[in-house]
PDB file of all heavy atoms in Angstrom:
ATOM      1  N   LEU W 417     -17.578 -11.562  23.865  1.00 44.00           N
ATOM      2  CA  LEU W 417     -17.389 -11.843  25.294  1.00 44.00           C
ATOM      3  C   LEU W 417     -16.908 -13.248  25.539  1.00 44.00           C
ATOM      4  O   LEU W 417     -16.053 -13.487  26.374  1.00 44.00           O
ATOM      5  CB  LEU W 417     -18.723 -11.575  26.035  1.00 44.00           C
ATOM      6  CG  LEU W 417     -19.159 -10.103  26.109  1.00 44.00           C
ATOM      7  CD1 LEU W 417     -20.550 -10.005  26.769  1.00 44.00           C
ATOM      8  CD2 LEU W 417     -18.168  -9.285  26.892  1.00 44.00           C
ATOM      9  N   SER W 418     -17.470 -14.218  24.806  1.00 42.00           N
ATOM     10  CA  SER W 418     -17.051 -15.608  25.004  1.00 42.00           C
ATOM     11  C   SER W 418     -15.613 -15.798  24.573  1.00 42.00           C
ATOM     12  O   SER W 418     -14.837 -16.530  25.183  1.00 42.00           O
ATOM     13  CB  SER W 418     -17.966 -16.550  24.234  1.00 42.00           C
ATOM     14  OG  SER W 418     -17.874 -16.299  22.819  1.00 42.00           O
ATOM     15  N   GLY W 419     -15.226 -15.101  23.450  1.00 45.00           N
ATOM     16  CA  GLY W 419     -13.830 -15.201  23.017  1.00 45.00           C
ATOM     17  C   GLY W 419     -12.868 -14.667  24.043  1.00 45.00           C
ATOM     18  O   GLY W 419     -11.813 -15.220  24.291  1.00 45.00           O
ATOM     19  N   ALA W 420     -13.271 -13.490  24.638  1.00 43.00           N
ATOM     20  CA  ALA W 420     -12.408 -12.916  25.659  1.00 43.00           C
ATOM     21  C   ALA W 420     -12.292 -13.808  26.861  1.00 43.00           C
ATOM     22  O   ALA W 420     -11.212 -13.986  27.453  1.00 43.00           O
ATOM     23  CB  ALA W 420     -12.967 -11.533  26.077  1.00 43.00           C
ATOM     24  N   ALA W 421     -13.408 -14.462  27.237  1.00 43.00           N
ATOM     25  CA  ALA W 421     -13.392 -15.367  28.379  1.00 43.00           C
ATOM     26  C   ALA W 421     -12.478 -16.545  28.097  1.00 43.00           C
ATOM     27  O   ALA W 421     -11.742 -17.022  28.975  1.00 43.00           O
ATOM     28  CB  ALA W 421     -14.823 -15.811  28.710  1.00 43.00           C
ATOM     29  N   GLY W 422     -12.520 -17.062  26.862  1.00 46.00           N
ATOM     30  CA  GLY W 422     -11.687 -18.201  26.511  1.00 46.00           C
ATOM     31  C   GLY W 422     -10.214 -17.832  26.594  1.00 46.00           C
ATOM     32  O   GLY W 422      -9.418 -18.626  27.051  1.00 46.00           O
ATOM     33  N   GLU W 423      -9.873 -16.602  26.209  1.00 43.00           N
ATOM     34  CA  GLU W 423      -8.479 -16.184  26.280  1.00 43.00           C
ATOM     35  C   GLU W 423      -8.013 -16.111  27.720  1.00 43.00           C
ATOM     36  O   GLU W 423      -6.905 -16.481  28.082  1.00 43.00           O
ATOM     37  CB  GLU W 423      -8.318 -14.818  25.603  1.00 43.00           C
ATOM     38  CG  GLU W 423      -8.488 -14.879  24.091  1.00 43.00           C
ATOM     39  CD  GLU W 423      -8.355 -13.466  23.483  1.00 43.00           C
ATOM     40  OE1 GLU W 423      -8.038 -12.553  24.229  1.00 43.00           O
ATOM     41  OE2 GLU W 423      -8.540 -13.371  22.270  1.00 43.00           O
ATOM     42  N   VAL W 424      -8.944 -15.626  28.615  1.00 42.00           N
ATOM     43  CA  VAL W 424      -8.569 -15.555  30.050  1.00 42.00           C
ATOM     44  C   VAL W 424      -8.366 -16.940  30.631  1.00 42.00           C
ATOM     45  O   VAL W 424      -7.428 -17.188  31.369  1.00 42.00           O
ATOM     46  CB  VAL W 424      -9.684 -14.793  30.820  1.00 42.00           C
ATOM     47  CG1 VAL W 424      -9.412 -14.871  32.315  1.00 42.00           C
ATOM     48  CG2 VAL W 424      -9.731 -13.335  30.377  1.00 42.00           C
ATOM     49  N   ARG W 425      -9.288 -17.881  30.264  1.00 43.00           N
ATOM     50  CA  ARG W 425      -9.149 -19.246  30.802  1.00 43.00           C
ATOM     51  C   ARG W 425      -7.856 -19.902  30.330  1.00 43.00           C
ATOM     52  O   ARG W 425      -7.198 -20.636  31.012  1.00 43.00           O
ATOM     53  CB  ARG W 425     -10.342 -20.086  30.392  1.00 43.00           C
ATOM     54  CG  ARG W 425     -11.622 -19.762  31.187  1.00 43.00           C
ATOM     55  CD  ARG W 425     -12.657 -20.842  30.966  1.00 43.00           C
ATOM     56  NE  ARG W 425     -13.049 -20.949  29.583  1.00 43.00           N
ATOM     57  CZ  ARG W 425     -14.060 -20.281  29.028  1.00 43.00           C
ATOM     58  NH1 ARG W 425     -14.773 -19.466  29.792  1.00 43.00           N
ATOM     59  NH2 ARG W 425     -14.359 -20.443  27.765  1.00 43.00           N
ATOM     60  N   ALA W 426      -7.500 -19.597  29.041  1.00 42.00           N
ATOM     61  CA  ALA W 426      -6.282 -20.213  28.507  1.00 42.00           C
ATOM     62  C   ALA W 426      -5.069 -19.699  29.243  1.00 42.00           C
ATOM     63  O   ALA W 426      -4.101 -20.390  29.409  1.00 42.00           O
ATOM     64  CB  ALA W 426      -6.188 -19.913  27.017  1.00 42.00           C
TER      65      ALA W 426
END
Side-chain angles (χ1 to χ4, degrees):
L417 291 176
S418 63
E423 291 178 5
V424 173
R425 286 194 298 269

